[in-house]
Amino acid sequence: MRSLQPVRGTHDILPEQSLRHRHVTETARTIAGQYGYGEVATPIFEFTEVFKRTLGDSSDIVTKEMYTFESRSGEEITLRPEGTAGIVRALISGGLGQHLPLKFFYQGPMFRHERPQKGRLRQFHQFGVELLGVGAPLGDIEVIAMAAQILDALGVADSTTLEINSLGDPQSREAYRDVLLGYLSDLKDKLSEDSRKRLAVNPLRILDSKDEGDRRVVADAPLFSDYLTGEAAEFFSAVTAGLDELGIIYALNPKLVRGLDYYCHTAFEFTTEALGAQGTVLAGGRYDGLVAAMGGAETPGVGWAAGIERLAMLIADAPAPHRPIAVVPVGGGAETAAFNLAQELRRDGFTVDIGYGGNLSRRMKRANKLRARLAVILGEDEIRAGTVTVRDLDTGEQEEVALRGLRDHLAPWR
RNA sequence: GCGGGUGUAGCUCAGUCGGUUAGAGCGCCAGAUUGUGGAUCUGGAGGCCGUGGGUUCAAUCCCCAUCACUCGCCCCA
């Protein structure tokens, strides 16, 4: 039976769920459009090197979560685990650096070979934005404001909180890293096994640990904010001042660290309590060094990505689809006329459903189940009289309407 | 990748201290109602009891493995 199961961590998205996803993406798409961002679609796979270079060889995504395979011609290919790498690659390979600043959004599937949980899938979907070529704090502010507006429009603003931190510039980061390393090395015995490993690979991550013992050690650790260079500190306060100006509420979280190596300066996360262990619903930050690291010209960038499944779980309900009008033939003789009528109404812009068989009772049942607003009943009597019977399925009232005037009669429900 | 929990009808779940034909509600199909849906009543279909192996006279039940889901960790959207 194994071959008839979906691959672990993948899901079929059926119409009901699809509506929720679409509500999320359409809302985000509309708002991103209002900010002047244009949609881009990069391939869902790239040469493995693209991700290795952007994400950093030591990141978890690269070391253990990528879907990597060899193509028939022997190329190393990877299903994209996130969206930024592909866009930066497109920027470079397409010579888009000529047109900076670039304002892009994207939407689509991402792949990570992780152990699935609620809100964590192996194929999942993200909506993200990237602002390339803007090094000023205004870029960070705009992008965060857009995120806040989207979450608000989705009705989840109340159930999420924005946390924000500065990772400084490379100089700040290096200085702080040394200090932190010194502090933590002295207390090595008190750290969890995981964190002792992190000491060598990515000590900043220890700040984020959920282990009780680690938290106690970290509580008294030197703060990153004390080691920001003047420039970096100024940048960050410009960002927070801009958010204040817009009335965007946030919490400073000096322990907030991002997993991907390329982030600098602003890092932020919108999180929720409602999703269990997977609390992050939208996250991003600034990545000024990334384009250059990939071989392009020095280009600042800032952006974020949101988990569509996670947002879809958080929203109350997607707006119900437009209620159809059911065309119901009575008896075999009316079948063709009814089908033609349905087609005519569809061409006129109505949402029309017509059953594929069964008697009147059966078809009415079906109309009811489809939440049809009206039934347009067409039998031999009506055909003779040049009319149809229009039944209001909410009130149960029905009347005869001349075929000629049907379109106008139905107009309110188009 | 590590640790815990759970897999019985399309869905939600009973159940068998190992013993003939495995149940309910909802949903589905049909009829009551061959020109009228929602409500009601009647009937019906639908189960390799996740999969494979083991123990046993006998396994849906016990044991092992495996797959999937789920909770937590790691990490992240």
Side-chain angles (χ1 to χ4, degrees):
Chain A
M1 286 306 109
R2 178 165 177 187
S3 59
L4 286 183
Q5 285 180 341
V7 174
R8 183 175 205 191
T10 66
H11 280 309
D12 302 312
I13 305 172
L14 301 177
E16 198 185 332
Q17 192 63 16
S18 232
L19 278 175
R20 303 175 72 86
H21 283 213
R22 272 193 51 194
H23 177 56
V24 171
T25 50
E26 290 304 315
T27 302
R29 202 191 294 270
T30 302
I31 292 171
Q34 288 172 345
Y35 281 75
Y37 286 60
E39 180 159 14
V40 294
T42 62
I44 62 167
F45 49 72
E46 298 271 357
F47 291 119
T48 301
E49 198 51 32
V50 170
F51 301 112
K52 278 198 175 157
R53 260 202 271 174
T54 51
L55 301 174
D57 283 325
S58 65
S59 73
D60 274 40
I61 290 182
V62 170
T63 53
K64 56 182 200 196
E65 294 173 4
M66 294 204 306
Y67 273 94
T68 296
F69 54 91
E70 191 175 296
S71 75
R72 282 176 187 245
S73 43
E75 298 154 326
E76 280 279 305
I77 300 293
T78 292
L79 262 28
R80 65 180 182 192
E82 55 95 49
T84 305
I87 286 182
V88 169
R89 192 233 77 226
L91 166 79
I92 298 170
S93 63
L96 305 180
Q98 299 296 313
H99 308 291
L100 296 175
L102 293 168
K103 300 158 78 169
F104 288 153
F105 73 86
Y106 62 88
Q107 166 274 320
M110 305 292 165
F111 307 84
R112 288 183 201 169
H113 194 111
E114 297 183 273
R115 181 125 169 203
Q117 267 176 250
K118 181 179 177 186
R120 174 197 286 168
L121 303 166
R122 288 188 170 181
Q123 176 178 342
F124 60 103
H125 297 78
Q126 285 188 337
F127 182 97
V129 306
E130 312 289 356
L131 173 58
L132 292 152
V134 176
L138 218 49
D140 308 53
I141 298 164
E142 174 176 281
V143 136
I144 293 171
M146 193 199 317
Q149 190 178 334
I150 289 169
L151 296 180
D152 188 45
L154 288 171
V156 301
D158 288 344
S159 47
T160 56
T161 56
L162 167 60
E163 294 179 36
I164 182 167
N165 189 27
S166 173
L167 305 176
D169 45 32
Q171 237 179 304
S172 315
R173 191 136 44 146
E174 221 166 284
Y176 177 64
R177 193 190 150 103
D178 289 346
V179 174
L180 184 67
L181 209 54
Y183 171 82
L184 291 174
S185 299
D186 291 343
L187 298 165
K188 197 173 172 182
D189 308 342
K190 294 188 179 164
L191 290 176
S192 67
E193 206 185 312
D194 278 337
S195 285
R196 263 176 275 170
K197 274 184 220 151
R198 285 188 277 228
L199 211 47
V201 189
N202 192 349
L204 295 197
R205 285 239 71 100
I206 299 174
L207 297 175
D208 224 6
S209 176
K210 285 176 193 167
D211 181 86
E212 282 274 331
D214 289 350
R215 280 170 182 264
R216 273 196 295 275
V217 173
V218 163
D220 297 322
L223 288 177
F224 203 159
S225 49
D226 294 335
Y227 292 86
L228 291 179
T229 60
E231 226 171 297
E234 204 175 300
F235 188 97
F236 190 50
S237 63
V239 172
T240 53
L243 296 177
D244 292 337
E245 193 67 37
L246 293 172
I248 293 171
I249 298 164
Y250 57 87
L252 290 175
N253 178 359
K255 310 271 158 73
L256 175 67
V257 182
R258 314 266 41 245
L260 310 181
D261 290 357
Y262 55 64
Y263 283 105
C264 64
H265 290 294
T266 319
F268 59 92
E269 263 178 28
F270 286 83
T271 59
T272 178
E273 304 279 292
L275 258 36
Q278 277 63 242
T280 305
V281 124
L282 183 156
R286 179 162 278 282
Y287 48 88
D288 289 346
L290 179 60
V291 179
M294 278 194 76
E298 196 74 44
T299 309
V302 60
W304 50 256
I308 293 173
E309 280 84 356
R310 290 183 185 179
L311 284 172
M313 281 192 283
L314 222 49
I315 61 176
D317 262 315
H322 190 59
R323 294 176 67 183
I325 291 169
V327 171
V328 179
V330 183
E335 200 97 36
T336 304
F339 195 79
N340 290 342
L341 175 61
Q343 282 300 91
E344 227 171 275
L345 290 172
R346 286 165 176 155
R347 278 194 294 264
D348 282 343
F350 292 98
T351 303
V352 178
D353 190 272
I354 182 165
Y356 302 105
N359 56 22
L360 178 56
S361 169
R362 165 113 179 76
R363 287 174 189 262
M364 289 299 285
K365 273 186 185 160
R366 179 178 163 79
N368 194 57
K369 195 189 296 185
L370 290 168
R371 297 186 61 253
R373 184 65 184 72
L374 303 169
V376 173
I377 301 164
L378 184 58
E380 273 155 37
D381 299 347
E382 283 88 349
I383 290 175
R384 247 193 314 276
T387 63
V388 292
T389 300
V390 177
R391 183 179 177 86
D392 185 315
L393 291 175
D394 286 355
T395 66
E397 286 165 19
Q398 66 182 45
E399 59 182 313
E400 292 231 346
V401 177
L403 258 178
R404 283 176 166 281
L406 181 60
R407 188 176 154 174
D408 292 339
H409 184 84
L410 297 178
W413 293 283
R414 196 197 312 261

